[in-house]
Amino acid sequence: GENVEQHPSTLSVQEGDSAVIKCTYSDSASNYFPWYKQELGKRPQLIIDIRSNVGEKKDQRIAVTLNKTAKHFSLHITETQPEDSAVYFCAASYQGFQKLVFGTGTRLLVSP
Amino acid sequence: GAVVSQHPSWVICKSGTSVKIECRSLDFQATTMFWYRQFPKQSLMLMATSNEGSKATYEQGVEKDKFLINHASLTLSTLTVTSAHPEDSSFYICSAPPELRTNYGYTFGSGTRLTVV
């Protein structure tokens, strides 16, 4: 079935460093790949997304890259700040904009 | 943008009772609603997909008779946890897919924290 793998499960960086989180997906028909930040007990918050017709997208300190051939996509956060500390989830949309399957999550800790 | 209102935000119930969770699309018509469950420190797991006017589609391993889903109108989808047990305690959240011809992403409800005692 549909599957999204996410690595690493935890990531600790120093303030100002870059952080990279990687995901792979199983269904080559997937066409939409969002990244979410989630605080405890809250709904996921979309931070950036990319569609299958684009290879890279950037929004200030956040960027996402997509390799359709290898079926993987990555989140890049530059100049990390303590407030970036949170749990991040990648996801992939299957069957068009139908099922949204989440990765296992990455707990990012940015130390001052 | 699209808004999905989810209620209640938290609920405590006794074992054996049923709990209903509602998700309403406030400014758009949601013909589809996805229901997720999230245990502490875990990911969001898709439980089922509700479709307005037809039966819900359940993911493998999810009990249809325990998690009743109804999507009776274009703006309301409900999840009823029947005969709840402590192991059903979790964070339940609904999500509507993007509307066609928009650049919006998926819209999530605010979630319901269910505690079964």
Side-chain angles (χ1 to χ4, degrees):
Chain A
E2 305 91 349
N3 187 45
V4 178
E5 295 185 359
Q6 182 172 346
H7 299 281
S9 57
T10 59
L11 180 59
S12 295
V13 299
Q14 292 290 319
E15 182 177 2
D17 288 349
S18 294
V20 180
I21 303 171
K22 299 182 178 181
C23 288
T24 59
Y25 59 98
S26 60
D27 190 341
S28 57
S30 297
N31 62 349
Y32 176 66
F33 308 90
W35 285 89
Y36 296 94
K37 179 180 181 181
Q38 188 183 31
E39 297 180 8
L40 190 63
K42 300 290 182 65
R43 78 186 86 194
Q45 177 189 358
L46 178 68
I47 57 172
I48 197 167
D49 57 10
I50 193 168
R51 298 178 190 236
S52 58
N53 58 348
V54 177
E56 184 174 357
K57 183 177 178 181
K58 189 174 181 180
D59 183 5
Q60 299 184 338
R61 297 186 297 110
I62 296 174
V64 56
T65 58
L66 172 65
N67 183 327
K68 288 176 60 179
T69 302
K71 290 189 285 187
H72 66 68
F73 56 114
S74 300
L75 176 70
H76 304 254
I77 305 174
T78 58
E79 301 173 26
T80 54
Q81 303 165 1
E83 48 266 39
D84 293 329
S85 297
V87 177
Y88 292 81
F89 291 100
C90 63
S93 177
Y94 291 84
Q95 302 171 12
F97 285 102
Q98 294 304 309
K99 284 188 180 185
L100 186 64
V101 178
F102 285 80
T104 48
T106 297
R107 184 171 299 277
L108 174 64
L109 176 62
V110 181
S111 303
Chain B
V3 176
V4 171
S5 175
Q6 182 171 348
H7 293 280
S9 57
W10 61 270
V11 57
I12 302 173
C13 71
K14 292 184 178 181
S15 289
T17 61
S18 296
V19 173
K20 179 185 283 189
I21 301 170
E22 294 187 348
C23 280
R24 294 181 183 273
S25 55
L26 298 186
D27 50 1
F28 69 103
Q29 293 181 332
T31 56
T32 299
M33 193 73 75
F34 301 108
W35 287 92
Y36 293 87
R37 177 170 55 182
Q38 185 176 30
F39 291 110
K41 297 186 178 182
Q42 293 188 24
S43 184
L44 287 80
M45 299 301 297
L46 181 65
M47 299 175 64
T49 303
S50 72
N51 297 290
E52 188 270 335
S54 63
K55 290 183 178 180
T57 303
Y58 290 82
E59 296 300 303
Q60 189 173 5
V62 177
E63 299 176 57
K64 301 179 182 181
D65 296 332
K66 181 170 183 61
F67 299 99
L68 301 180
I69 289 177
N70 185 276
H71 199 139
S73 76
L74 289 172
T75 59
L76 176 63
S77 177
T78 62
L79 166 67
T80 301
V81 183
T82 63
S83 187
H85 291 283
E87 56 265 33
D88 297 324
S89 298
S90 188
F91 186 64
Y92 294 86
I93 191 165
C94 59
S95 175
E99 292 181 272
L100 295 177
R101 297 178 296 280
T102 71
N103 288 322
Y104 299 133
Y106 288 74
T107 302
F108 289 86
S110 53
T112 298
R113 171 72 57 192
L114 170 63
T115 302
V116 185
V117 298

